[in-house]
Amino acid sequence: MRKSAWMAAVMLTCSGTAISRAEQPRPSIAATMPTAPDATANPALWPAAKSPSSFSTPKDEARISAIIARMTLEQKVGQLIQADTSAITPEDLVQYPLGSILAGGNSGPYGDERANAATWDKLVSAFHDASRKSGAGIPVLFGVDAVHGHSNLPGATIFPHNIGLGAARDPALIQRIGAATAAEIAGTGIDWTFAPTLAVPQDLRWGRSYEGYAADPALVAAYGKAMVIGLQGKLVAGKPVNGSRVAATAKHFLADGGTADGKDQGDAKISESELIAKHAMGYPAAINAGALTVMASFSTWNGAKNHGNKSLLIDVLKDRMGFAGLVVGDWNGHGQIPGCTVTDCPAAINAGLDLFMAPDSWKLLFANTLREAREGVIPAARIDDAVRRILRVKLKLGMLDAKPVQRSNHAMVGAAHHLALAREAVAKSLVLLKNDGGVLPLRPGANVLVTGVGADNMAMQAGGWTITWQGTDTTAADFPNGQTIGQAIATQVVAAGGKAAVSNDGTFATKPDVAFVVLGERPYAEFQGDVPDIAFRATAEEEDLIARLKAQGTKIVTVFLSGRPMFANKLINQSDAFVAAWLPGTQGAGVADVLVARANGKPLRDFTGKLPFTWPDDAQSPVVKPAFPAGYGISYARSAKAPKLNEDPRMDLAAAASTDNFFVRGNVPAPWHLGMDGAITVRSVDLSAQEDARQFTWNADGVLSIEGSPVNLMRQLDGGFVLLLDWRIDRTVVGPVKVSFGDATLDIGDLVRAAPVGTTTQMRIPLRCFHDAGANLAAVGAPLRLTAPAGFTATLRNAKVESSGISIPCPPIHQK
């Protein structure tokens, strides 16, 4: 699900468009979407399933019927719409009787991404109370993306991401994690989580690969059942889900992990038999376990958008699989159906969607859907069925009772037994790929260096969907009940009688016996995580660090943090031991429990993890040649000497085309190119590595530009992204220093003059600032243009757009 920190600008744009349309004859909006023959499912081919009878009894259905009978059409239509907290207030529910609220990945309570449990509870209670006092008196469902623990909340228990849990191959562990996660979600007043993900990723270039448990559909099915039961408990006829449990969401229906080239929100160009065998197996298991909700996928099957595919949503999911709960859309996903917009889409409801996820588009969507309901474009029976499904979920959660089920035990957030469970899960998720010479477990009394960019980096080990959507700004301070991997290893080394130093750059006072090098991927979530290949690209600093350690005879243990298996064969060959640690979350002690022996010479745990996906022997994806097959993993009890691995990527790893990176370590990657007028001179300089930046000097008034073919950056705008300038101001000037993005220009002269001269600094400018200044972010051909007067000198290392979870004010618009 995409998330936005800057809804206001998008809302104004949508509102302006819809108002102008309202004054003109409306274009025809398709009530139903025709589906191509190769995207029309044959239900008879699909596995049968059925929501348990304990989901809703005849008495429950009679009660729901009575509620529906007294509802107005406005109230019914309102139930079909979900808005984001950044774009609605509790007071709005007086006029707009919506059925649901969500807090997206960058939508913390009252604008605070780091709000505590009580503040979350306060916000949720405000929406619940307002909805109960208005309209039909039906409370809203409140949903969040709690995908590896209650991951929006500082101090919560953060479990390994799903790919790591897949390595554990332990459904009972998954059920326990589901129960712990539910208790923490419910502890903040929230009713519903958008989990579990039942994707079966086929191409690891997909940026959401780590949200999939494994490549094995059978394991995904077992985990789907376990997580649903863990989150909701086993459903009991006539009784609500208790106050320590929440509604689960089986997602994303269907084949989100099967898109061509691993493109997020792409097209799964596959046969129906492959769609069933590889991507559908998790859903019957989740439905039979009582999943209350299912989320439709952004993606497409053979050209037909899943949000509008009746054969999948109704004929397969609701009829053949007997799903009795509600089907919710993904973040404005209905707007991608041909003929629809985010504010007008009867085709989605008619295709079987029950609840629009309309974070910022909800108000005009409500008006248009109400009009189409009155006109019969959406049949009354379809509306009543959708409302019934939504009320069925609310009733099962105990929300419609005179004394609603209470969910507000703040003490469950970060509870000690949950943290212990997360530590266990981390240990079970680790996969040992190499241990030559028995360097692991680390012997008591050793002198140890823990180094690498990931050694003391909570953001890297927690990954995306942690505090914020992309997870880039997570820090150890967000989780005082957690430990970074470096801290945890150092603590256990010292406890066993050894010496340990944690140093990100690899410096040390005394030569170490063993160096734990923690490195890997930086945090990302959907869209931002899509890559052109699966090669791990160590930085020059990382390569220098490993070469220096090897040259002095230090044993190297690589702890590799990643959201997918990667072509890292050179690194594996250089290492004496190599551990795939995935994205383990906040409990770094779980890593140390396996890698470091206690004073008695034995570690707390042995390795038990097995690869959930094939580990590649080159940079190509889908993986054809494995370095290690799925299911592989050695241990202290079952060791094996690693062969020397191929280091040829077997493809061109020249700078990959990137729409988000414009200037990388002093170079301009394709498809961009650098332009300068004659007023500017340039030279390569060293900032943190050899020639990793360029110094530009304005000898007269001049313009520096990075240009290329126009690219669409609307998703980055919607995601609250910023333009990042990673640079050093070497000489300031009086007067405007102008930065342009697209066709909008801002004056950053005051920011430049406020920056410390001669010191590397990072300047962030929200994309919304350029949007508000008139930039067309749907077609950006010049993502960076710097205009300055004579005398200005700056050294630029990197320029890119990235996610940001903090509020940043806009520089003034340049007045021409």
Side-chain angles (χ1 to χ4, degrees):
M1 186 191 322
R2 290 185 298 162
K3 307 300 170 202
S4 175
W6 308 110
M7 293 299 180
V10 181
M11 284 186 65
L12 289 171
T13 302
C14 293
S15 299
T17 302
I19 290 171
S20 63
R21 285 181 178 176
E23 295 166 353
Q24 304 292 331
R26 287 188 181 88
S28 175
I29 298 290
T32 58
M33 289 305 304
T35 305
D38 57 355
T40 301
N42 177 359
L45 302 177
W46 293 67
K50 189 173 182 61
S51 293
S53 58
S54 52
F55 189 152
S56 187
T57 66
K59 183 178 178 181
D60 294 334
E61 293 301 308
R63 186 176 171 189
I64 292 169
S65 295
I67 295 172
I68 293 174
R70 63 175 182 262
M71 293 174 71
T72 65
L73 186 58
E74 289 84 354
Q75 291 165 354
K76 292 179 180 179
V77 169
Q79 288 295 304
L80 312 188
I81 296 175
Q82 180 186 70
D84 187 83
T85 57
S86 63
I88 192 171
T89 66
E91 292 72 27
D92 288 325
L93 296 178
V94 174
Q95 183 177 356
Y96 299 95
L98 303 194
S100 183
I101 301 294
L102 82 151
N106 286 339
S107 297
Y110 310 106
D112 183 4
E113 289 292 348
R114 286 167 168 77
N116 61 20
T119 306
W120 275 96
D121 196 5
K122 177 183 176 183
L123 177 73
V124 176
S125 295
F127 278 105
H128 280 162
D129 293 346
S131 56
R132 286 190 174 100
K133 294 174 183 176
S134 62
I138 300 171
V140 293
L141 272 171
F142 197 106
V144 293
D145 283 285
V147 297
H148 62 136
H150 195 359
S151 48
N152 300 280
L153 188 66
T157 305
I158 305 301
F159 293 94
H161 267 296
N162 285 355
I163 190 169
L165 298 181
R169 297 175 180 255
D170 187 344
L173 174 69
I174 301 309
Q175 186 168 324
R176 292 159 60 207
I177 289 173
T181 300
E184 299 203 13
I185 298 167
T188 55
I190 296 169
D191 321 301
W192 183 15
T193 178
F194 304 129
T197 297
L198 302 180
V200 185
Q202 301 297 302
D203 190 325
L204 296 172
R205 290 176 291 180
W206 186 39
R208 304 189 76 163
S209 291
Y210 65 76
E211 295 186 52
Y213 291 117
D216 179 4
L219 182 61
V220 172
Y223 271 28
K225 174 184 177 181
M227 184 58 77
V228 166
I229 293 174
L231 290 167
Q232 298 182 173
K234 291 186 177 180
L235 303 186
V236 179
K239 293 184 178 181
V241 171
N242 73 45
S244 65
R245 306 294 179 121
V246 297
T249 307
K251 68 176 190 182
H252 307 83
F253 194 81
L254 188 64
D256 48 340
T259 60
D261 301 323
K263 294 296 184 184
D264 191 46
Q265 302 187 20
D267 191 357
K269 301 175 182 179
I270 57 179
S271 67
E272 185 172 9
S273 59
E274 183 176 348
L275 182 69
I276 297 168
K278 289 184 178 178
H279 301 285
M281 292 298 102
Y283 290 91
I287 291 167
N288 288 337
L292 298 182
T293 77
V294 169
M295 183 181 290
S297 177
F298 273 123
S299 58
T300 299
W301 175 40
N302 290 333
K305 279 290 177 183
N306 289 342
H307 274 65
N309 192 327
K310 177 181 176 294
S311 75
L312 288 178
L313 297 183
I314 293 180
D315 299 345
V316 169
L317 179 61
K318 293 182 176 180
D319 292 345
R320 177 64 174 173
M321 293 187 181
F323 177 60
L326 71 85
V327 178
V328 63
D330 208 335
W331 192 271
N332 277 333
H334 56 277
Q336 298 183 10
I337 299 173
C340 286
T341 68
V342 296
T343 57
D344 198 353
C345 191
I349 298 296
N350 287 339
L353 197 73
D354 301 309
L355 181 62
F356 287 113
M357 185 180 287
D360 54 332
S361 56
W362 63 270
K363 188 176 291 185
L364 288 164
L365 182 62
F366 174 80
N368 286 326
T369 305
L370 179 59
R371 171 182 54 80
E372 287 150 356
R374 286 171 173 160
E375 294 172 353
V377 176
I378 305 174
R382 174 75 271 269
I383 292 173
D384 283 355
D385 175 62
V387 173
R388 178 175 294 277
R389 290 170 175 273
I390 293 166
L391 294 182
R392 195 177 279 153
V393 172
K394 292 180 178 182
L395 180 60
K396 197 62 187 176
L397 288 172
M399 302 177 69
L400 303 183
D401 296 336
K403 291 185 66 176
V405 170
Q406 294 299 306
R407 295 181 169 86
S408 60
N409 186 354
H410 303 168
M412 287 294 98
V413 176
H417 61 290
H418 296 165
L419 298 173
L421 176 61
R423 181 171 176 169
E424 175 189 344
V426 171
K428 290 181 174 179
S429 73
L430 305 175
V431 180
L432 183 61
L433 296 181
K434 181 179 182 180
N435 189 27
D436 287 0
V439 63
L440 292 178
L442 183 75
R443 304 295 189 264
N447 179 26
V448 172
L449 172 69
V450 189
T451 186
V453 67
D456 200 28
N457 192 320
M458 188 62 79
M460 278 186 65
Q461 68 186 60
W465 297 108
T466 310
I467 306 297
T468 57
W469 176 30
Q470 297 289 326
T472 53
D473 59 348
T474 304
T475 69
D478 292 320
F479 298 98
N481 52 9
Q483 319 85 34
T484 63
I485 292 170
Q487 292 168 340
I489 290 176
T491 297
Q492 292 202 25
V493 167
V494 172
K499 297 179 180 179
V502 179
S503 168
N504 287 351
D505 62 3
T507 57
F508 52 83
T510 304
K511 176 182 173 296
D513 303 316
V514 176
F516 288 88
V517 182
V518 188
L519 44 69
E521 292 189 293
R522 275 44 169 191
Y524 58 83
E526 59 187 295
F527 177 54
Q528 279 295 99
D530 286 4
V531 291
D533 56 67
I534 52 173
F536 172 66
R537 292 167 171 82
T539 66
E541 295 92 338
E542 289 167 339
E543 290 183 345
D544 291 345
L545 169 64
I546 292 170
R548 178 160 40 91
L549 291 170
K550 285 188 71 66
Q552 67 190 21
T554 299
K555 297 287 186 180
I556 296 175
V557 176
T558 297
V559 180
F560 193 68
L561 301 174
S562 70
R564 54 193 140 207
M566 303 192 76
F567 173 61
N569 286 3
K570 179 179 179 181
L571 182 59
I572 296 174
N573 286 338
Q574 291 173 319
S575 304
D576 296 282
F578 188 94
V579 179
W582 316 110
L583 302 171
T586 58
Q587 301 306 300
V591 176
D593 287 342
V594 182
L595 273 58
V596 181
R598 304 298 172 106
N600 64 4
K602 296 180 180 180
L604 188 64
R605 296 177 182 274
D606 195 351
F607 285 92
T608 57
K610 306 294 182 184
L611 288 177
F613 296 90
T614 297
W615 196 277
D617 195 47
D618 56 37
Q620 302 176 73
S621 185
V623 176
V624 176
K625 295 186 177 182
F628 303 99
Y632 183 83
I634 60 177
S635 67
Y636 303 139
R638 294 174 292 100
S639 62
K641 184 173 177 58
K644 182 173 175 58
L645 300 176
N646 161 65
E647 296 184 10
D648 180 1
R650 300 190 182 108
M651 64 178 294
D652 183 6
L653 293 184
S658 172
T659 58
D660 290 352
N661 293 280
F662 319 127
F663 199 81
V664 180
R665 296 175 60 80
N667 295 293
V668 180
W672 309 109
H673 58 268
L674 180 67
M676 297 182 296
D677 57 29
I680 303 173
T681 56
V682 60
R683 68 186 183 95
S684 296
V685 299
D686 301 345
L687 270 187
S688 58
Q690 185 176 7
E691 296 188 357
D692 67 337
R694 293 200 211 180
Q695 185 182 69
F696 299 93
T697 300
W698 275 253
N699 302 301
D701 294 0
V703 180
L704 163 71
S705 65
I706 295 176
E707 300 178 358
S709 299
V711 295
N712 188 341
L713 298 177
M714 287 300 294
R715 286 189 67 184
Q716 289 88 333
L717 170 67
D718 191 24
F721 281 43
V722 299
L723 169 65
L724 169 70
L725 298 177
D726 175 26
W727 61 351
R728 183 184 69 197
I729 306 301
D730 298 313
R731 184 180 178 189
T732 59
V733 291
V734 176
V737 176
K738 296 174 284 187
V739 59
S740 302
F741 191 93
D743 42 8
T745 302
L746 305 175
D747 183 358
I748 61 171
D750 289 343
L751 294 175
V752 167
R753 285 182 285 276
V757 174
T759 301
T760 303
T761 186
Q762 294 189 328
M763 186 178 294
R764 291 174 171 84
I765 306 168
L767 295 192
R768 66 173 174 87
C769 302
F770 297 103
H771 174 267
D772 293 349
N776 175 17
L777 283 130
V780 177
L784 180 63
R785 184 180 292 114
L786 284 170
T787 306
F792 181 60
T793 304
T795 298
L796 183 64
R797 179 167 50 188
N798 298 296
K800 62 180 179 178
V801 294
E802 68 174 20
S803 176
S804 175
I806 59 175
S807 178
I808 302 172
C810 291
I813 299 173
H814 174 68
Q815 303 298 328
K816 297 180 180 179

